[in-house]
Amino acid sequence: MKVSRLTSVCHTKVLILDDSSFYRDRSKRVELLAHCFDHAKRRHYKGFRMLTLGWSDGSTFLPIDFSLLSSSKEKAKIDDIDSTIDKRCSGYKRRIEALQTAPEQIPGMVKRALSNGIDTSYVLMDSWFTQQPLIKALTDQGIDVIGMVKPTNQRYRVGSQWVGLRTLYRLSKPVTSHKEILRSIRTTMANGVPVKVVFVQNRNKQSEWLAILSTDCTLTEREIIRTYGMRWDVELFFKATKSFLKLQKEFQGRSYDLLISHTTIVFTRFILLSWQNRCSTDNRTFGGMFYELCDEMNELDWAVALTQLMDILHDALTKTKKSIKRWVTCQLTQWIESLPNYIKVYLPKLGCES
């Protein structure tokens, strides 16, 4: 990836998973149309769930895969698959995937991203996806998971007992180095995956806490929180595509293939705009010129520092005896004369008094 080459090796690169509502409230006959629930607005709507996988390095977000999810429940489905679709084509396979749940599709999406050479270290997920079977499926692919968890029936091993998240909070050790980080603990999930759970203050409600889970136990508490904060990029992506790139509004077709094509075009627009923005703000896109300027700046910094050192030494010599000053000046002159010419040009010329 061109963007990945602009990212420093020490910077974290992540995959971000999230879903968003894809409204078709005014439609009556759209292929695979279903009744869905919007958790943000707390209401039902007609349409799809747009499951999205994106890549981010903290500066640029790029969508790399998506799926428009319908529902496998007969009560929720409004329209079914078009019976004239050839079952051997990729369009029919996408329709079958639309009837799957998000946890069933996510491992395949991540596997496709890794097999295509996407450079990443972690998968970031919201609390809707941090289920133990899904975490196990992703870690088996060799990638770590960082996500928020909520108090559910999931159990964690502490010593010889299995406890829930609330009990885990009471058993964890307090963290005093940062006021917003309350506690942290290393534990093991019921499926045998070792994790580190960090409890942070809920800014919206000071009396409550939030829990962030990481399968990479080598990270510090602050690194886990900082990395999870990169998940906000996907929320900005959803806002931009719906508000400015006319996702859901530009196209009103009834075919599922047309819905996929429309979403792909919108995502492609966003990728091009993100790349253009990165090129206009990242100086490394100047190529060799950037590195030549960097070398020149480093050379100038070295020359300035050496000149300042000589000035300090000269000021110190003015306060000493003439005999000592004469001897030190002669030694410096001989040393400077022995240096290469490309270093001499940056040093002052000293006269050795006889």
Side-chain angles (χ1 to χ4, degrees):
M1 291 176 64
K2 293 183 178 180
V3 179
S4 181
R5 291 198 293 267
L6 297 177
T7 306
S8 174
V9 178
C10 61
H11 284 184
T12 304
K13 295 178 279 287
V14 299
L15 292 176
I16 306 175
L17 274 163
D18 203 1
D19 65 343
S20 182
S21 56
F22 192 98
Y23 282 86
R24 293 302 298 265
D25 276 331
R26 300 180 63 183
S27 301
K28 296 180 180 179
R29 299 293 297 177
V30 174
E31 190 177 3
L32 288 174
L33 187 68
H35 290 288
C36 304
F37 185 73
D38 190 335
H39 293 278
K41 297 182 179 179
R42 308 298 300 175
R43 76 173 188 89
H44 290 275
Y45 67 94
K46 289 194 296 183
F48 304 87
R49 289 175 57 209
M50 186 176 66
L51 179 65
T52 305
L53 177 67
W55 178 92
S56 175
D57 62 351
S59 299
T60 302
F61 177 87
L62 300 175
I64 58 177
D65 201 353
F66 75 94
S67 180
L68 294 179
L69 302 181
S70 179
S71 177
S72 59
K73 299 178 181 179
E74 292 298 328
K75 292 183 179 180
K77 283 196 295 184
I78 299 175
D79 205 351
D80 211 336
I81 299 177
D82 187 353
S83 59
T84 62
I85 299 296
D86 189 346
K87 296 183 179 181
R88 297 170 297 178
C89 67
S90 59
Y92 183 79
K93 296 178 181 179
R94 293 211 68 147
R95 288 166 169 81
I96 296 299
E97 289 179 351
L99 300 177
Q100 296 177 341
T101 62
E104 291 175 335
Q105 285 210 35
I106 289 174
M109 297 174 73
V110 174
K111 184 178 181 180
R112 285 194 294 270
L114 297 177
S115 62
N116 281 281
I118 300 296
D119 184 14
T120 183
S121 302
Y122 304 100
V123 177
L124 308 184
M125 302 184 295
D126 198 4
S127 56
W128 301 108
F129 303 107
T130 49
Q131 304 169 10
Q132 293 192 9
L134 178 57
I135 294 175
K136 175 67 174 177
L138 293 179
T139 53
D140 287 344
Q141 296 186 30
I143 188 168
D144 287 303
V145 176
I146 298 178
M148 186 172 290
V149 288
K150 289 185 176 180
T152 59
N153 294 328
Q154 295 184 147
R155 290 293 180 261
Y156 306 89
R157 186 181 183 88
V158 179
S160 59
Q161 57 179 336
W162 295 95
V163 299
L165 192 63
R166 297 187 187 279
T167 306
L168 189 68
Y169 173 77
R170 293 193 294 268
L171 296 175
S172 58
K173 296 182 179 179
V175 177
T176 58
S177 59
H178 198 283
K179 64 178 182 179
E180 293 186 355
I181 303 176
L182 303 178
R183 297 165 181 259
S184 70
I185 188 173
R186 291 190 181 185
T187 181
T188 305
M189 296 191 298
N191 54 15
V193 178
V195 296
K196 185 174 184 178
V197 183
V198 180
F199 298 91
V200 298
Q201 189 75 53
N202 187 346
R203 294 182 178 179
N204 298 325
K205 198 171 183 180
Q206 294 294 325
S207 60
E208 296 182 355
W209 45 261
L210 302 173
I212 302 176
L213 175 148
S214 172
T215 58
D216 186 356
C217 298
T218 63
L219 296 178
T220 64
E221 289 82 2
R222 298 191 68 174
E223 288 174 335
I224 293 174
I225 296 172
R226 179 184 59 81
T227 304
Y228 181 75
M230 297 172 66
R231 199 196 69 82
W232 185 249
D233 289 350
V234 73
E235 303 292 349
L236 299 178
F237 163 74
F238 289 146
K239 180 67 174 178
T241 52
K242 293 180 179 180
S243 299
F244 304 112
L245 301 182
K246 298 182 179 181
L247 182 67
Q248 309 174 137
K249 304 173 184 177
E250 187 179 38
F251 162 80
Q252 296 298 326
R254 296 181 179 182
S255 168
Y256 188 77
D257 287 332
L258 294 178
L259 291 172
I260 294 295
S261 300
H262 161 66
T263 308
T264 303
I265 291 172
V266 172
F267 281 23
T268 304
R269 289 175 186 163
F270 186 89
I271 291 173
L272 293 175
L273 290 172
S274 297
W275 172 244
Q276 183 63 37
N277 179 67
R278 186 64 177 261
C279 289
S280 62
T281 58
D282 195 328
N283 292 330
R284 282 172 292 189
T285 56
F286 290 125
M289 184 187 298
F290 170 79
Y291 294 102
E292 290 177 5
L293 290 174
C294 284
D295 292 339
E296 183 177 347
M297 290 299 296
N298 291 333
E299 188 175 283
L300 288 175
D301 292 340
W302 169 82
V304 170
L306 190 56
T307 303
Q308 290 176 348
L309 178 61
M310 296 296 295
D311 291 339
I312 293 173
L313 185 57
H314 183 269
D315 292 339
L317 289 175
T318 57
K319 301 177 182 179
T320 60
K321 295 181 179 180
K322 290 184 178 180
S323 57
I324 298 177
K325 178 181 177 180
R326 188 182 306 113
W327 180 82
V328 173
T329 302
C330 289
Q331 293 295 322
L332 285 175
T333 302
Q334 295 176 8
W335 173 68
I336 292 174
E337 289 297 327
S338 64
L339 295 175
N341 291 329
Y342 71 91
I343 298 180
K344 286 183 183 180
V345 297
Y346 295 111
L347 298 176
K349 293 183 179 180
L350 301 177
C352 184
E353 300 178 1
S354 58

